Amino acid sequence: MNERTRVVGWAVVAVALAALSVPWFMWGADGVVAGLPVWVAYHVGWLCLVAVVLWAFTRRAWGLGVEGVGRDG
């Protein structure tokens, strides 16, 4: 897989995570999960997912798309 494809792939993942950060589809929900409001439980799950994705990003793609600087700046 070339670098451009990897950059686009990680960008899509970042946009998807940002779009899911606000649970707009749960507005008005009054359910309870494990004693917490459903939106709080959603955020706990979302934060765990983001932590795993960030870990994977740091292991596989850290510095991806960053161009080196020449010797003369």
Side-chain angles (χ1 to χ4, degrees):
M1 190 174 346
N2 65 18
E3 184 174 348
R4 181 166 172 81
T5 304
R6 291 177 61 205
V7 168
V8 170
W10 281 108
V12 168
V13 168
V15 169
L17 287 176
L20 293 173
S21 65
V22 177
W24 54 268
F25 48 87
M26 289 186 176
W27 289 353
D30 57 355
V32 176
V33 174
L36 297 171
V38 69
W39 63 271
V40 173
Y42 173 83
H43 276 295
V44 169
W46 180 81
L47 287 171
C48 290
L49 174 66
V50 170
V52 169
V53 170
L54 183 59
W55 176 82
F57 177 76
T58 61
R59 296 291 180 227
R60 298 173 182 254
W62 193 258
L64 185 66
V66 178
E67 297 179 14
V69 176
R71 196 182 218 197
D72 54 346

